Amino acid sequence: MPEQIQARVENCYTLAEDFFGRGFKRPQVNLKLRGQKAGVAHLHDNLLRFNQQLYLENSEHFLRQTVPHEVAHLIAHQLFGPGIKPHGEEWQRIMLGVYGLQPDRCHSYAVKRTPAIRYIYNCNCPSQDFAFTAQRHALVAKGRRYLCRACKAQLLFSGQQRLE
């Protein structure tokens, strides 16, 4: 865990405690998030997950905006309960009032998408193929069957793969 992220989480909690005049339980923090999301707040587990790759590529903005964004979700949940909207008025007020930040819903980090392998399946329809994900292909290997909606024939693995 980079010390900067942990320090920024603690800083955000200190600001919230000073602002609201009460204490907040500190979350567990990890860098096990992958994919396109920069961060996720697991409200019921009091857990913050951050994307290490996006942090490394955008560290200044990440610490300034993404970390408070996710902490604000946990603070809003602890203050107002589970019935609030994720980016609703309560969360927005914390972002503006406590952290002095624009309540932006999404990041604009450049996310490198790795090509995914697709497994090609065919039916009786001419020039029709179906690109299965690795998960769906594994289900077929375990006995699951898929049918073409048009010709109703079972989809069969062609032995081919492609990158998408």
Side-chain angles (χ1 to χ4, degrees), residues 13 24-29 42-48 74 78:
Y13 270 89
F24 293 98
K25 184 178 179 199
R26 298 303 193 264
Q28 186 179 23
V29 181
H42 296 272
L43 306 177
H44 301 291
D45 298 325
N46 201 31
L47 168 67
L48 294 173
L74 293 181
Q78 290 182 35

Side-chain angles (χ1 to χ4, degrees), residues 106-159:
C106 301
H107 68 78
S108 57
Y109 305 141
V111 178
K112 296 175 189 142
R113 191 165 175 253
T114 55
I117 295 175
R118 298 296 185 224
Y119 299 85
I120 308 305
Y121 281 72
N122 299 110
C123 62
N124 295 333
C125 297
S127 68
Q128 172 81 310
D129 68 13
F130 299 86
F132 279 25
T133 63
Q135 281 182 315
R136 184 165 282 186
H137 180 66
L139 289 172
V140 171
K142 291 179 181 177
R144 175 142 333 153
R145 296 173 12 151
Y146 292 92
L147 303 177
C148 174
R149 289 185 179 175
C151 70
K152 308 295 186 222
Q154 182 177 344
L155 301 180
L156 300 173
F157 181 49
S158 68

Side-chain angles (χ1 to χ4, degrees), residues 40-58:
V40 174
H42 296 272
L43 306 177
H44 301 291
D45 298 325
N46 201 31
L47 168 67
L48 294 173
R49 292 174 54 217
F50 293 108
N51 186 317
Q52 184 172 15
Q53 188 62 42
L54 291 180
Y55 165 68
L56 294 172
E57 294 170 0
N58 310 279

Side-chain angles (χ1 to χ4, degrees), residues 63-96:
L63 292 170
R64 187 173 12 94
Q65 184 75 26
T66 301
V67 172
H69 174 119
E70 299 307 330
V71 170
H73 284 299
L74 293 181
I75 298 293
H77 179 76
Q78 290 182 35
L79 284 171
F80 304 106
I84 61 172
K85 293 182 180 177
H87 296 105
E89 182 181 337
E90 299 86 354
W91 175 83
Q92 291 178 29
R93 283 189 289 171
I94 292 168
M95 288 295 289
L96 286 167

